[in-house]
Amino acid sequence: MSDERVAAPTNQRRISQRGIATRERILEAANRLMFVRGVNATTLDDVREASQTSKSQLYHHFADKQELVRALVKYRGALVLQRERGGLERLRSFSGLVRWRNALVQANSLNNGKYGCGLGSMAVELSDQDEQARSMLLETFAAWEKLISDGLHRMRDSGALRQDADPEKLATGLMAALQGGYLLANAAHNVAPMEVALDMALEHIKSFLSEPSGEPTR
């Protein structure tokens, strides 16, 4: 992840409202490019051109590519968690899990399964390159998984799930199915593997329902 460097530390500078808008524009452009091309295949010049910023503007906010990527990890993580809270913070039923599954599959189908999960793809590229980025991604995945396990706890507390259900383990299994599904859908350029992975994970959770729900996993 080498690119040009400047000596001045950017994180200590005060940023004006115009500067905040410029920084946001750079992150939005980097997010779009790196989601499609990947982190390593996207250069700072690519980001500068896409964000319509000068080199001095870009380096004013990000000293080098590593700093930009770390900021993007935080930026993309916040976007994902905001989206996931909308579908999971009120989760109290198996039908809610089905709706959550359907929304993710539908969104990924818009790209024909390509590009994978925005966080998962970064984890694949960065985990062996940048320990700080890896730790940030791990924290975001943990927060995402906790949204699922909290919903499963609510289901168990209300009696919808049997008491022998383990919300943390079920959430880990569901998250693993989701990320594996994203990966296989990306390889196939087809959402079908993602659907299969999620449906099998949901069928396992369904086996812990206190009463058969009769609800399909689609």
Side-chain angles (χ1 to χ4, degrees):
M1 284 173 41
S2 62
D3 249 23
E4 304 98 327
R5 295 186 62 91
V6 293
T10 63
N11 58 357
Q12 296 178 1
R13 298 173 180 171
R14 298 181 64 181
I15 305 177
S16 65
Q17 286 301 117
R18 179 179 294 180
I20 291 172
T22 300
R23 187 178 189 276
E24 189 77 5
R25 191 167 74 248
I26 293 169
L27 283 171
E28 288 174 355
N31 189 38
R32 291 193 304 270
L33 289 174
M34 293 183 185
F35 178 68
V36 174
R37 301 180 185 179
V39 172
N40 293 326
T42 303
T43 68
L44 287 182
D45 283 339
D46 293 332
V47 174
R48 184 180 57 78
E49 182 178 352
S51 62
Q52 297 184 324
T53 53
S54 65
K55 284 189 176 182
S56 62
Q57 285 177 309
L58 192 150
Y59 290 129
H60 177 77
H61 295 284
F62 304 101
D64 55 18
K65 186 175 178 181
Q66 183 178 67
E67 186 174 305
L68 173 61
V69 169
R70 288 174 177 175
L72 181 59
V73 169
K74 184 177 180 179
Y75 176 86
R76 188 177 288 181
L79 290 178
V80 169
L81 290 178
Q82 181 181 32
R83 180 197 71 200
E84 292 302 289
R85 289 187 187 103
L88 293 171
E89 279 190 333
R90 298 179 182 179
L91 177 65
R92 295 182 180 276
S93 66
F94 186 77
S95 61
L97 277 175
V98 173
R99 288 192 296 272
W100 171 79
R101 171 263 189 216
N102 290 344
L104 290 174
V105 169
Q106 183 178 18
N108 202 28
S109 69
L110 297 177
N111 296 318
N112 295 320
K114 294 186 292 185
Y115 313 129
C117 169
L119 292 177
S121 60
M122 292 186 86
V124 170
E125 289 197 80
L126 299 176
S127 290
D128 295 329
Q129 298 180 14
D130 187 332
E131 179 62 20
Q132 182 175 327
R134 185 198 67 80
S135 296
M136 293 166 65
L137 286 162
L138 180 62
E139 289 178 5
T140 304
F141 276 119
W144 189 353
E145 191 173 311
K146 187 175 186 301
L147 287 171
I148 299 172
S149 65
D150 285 350
L152 294 172
H153 270 289
R154 288 190 292 272
M155 289 173 63
R156 192 178 67 177
D157 292 343
S158 70
L161 279 181
R162 300 198 313 263
Q163 289 302 304
D164 62 328
D166 187 324
E168 280 72 30
K169 288 185 178 180
L170 292 174
T172 298
L174 185 53
M175 179 62 75
L178 174 61
Q179 292 303 318
Y182 270 125
L183 178 64
L184 293 177
N186 184 23
H189 285 187
N190 190 311
V191 296
M194 180 183 183
E195 292 182 292
V196 171
L198 284 173
D199 288 349
M200 292 187 71
L202 289 183
E203 283 293 338
H204 181 61
I205 294 174
K206 192 175 181 179
S207 71
F208 286 94
L209 293 179
S210 297
E211 297 179 3
S213 69
E215 297 177 84
T217 55
R218 287 176 181 256

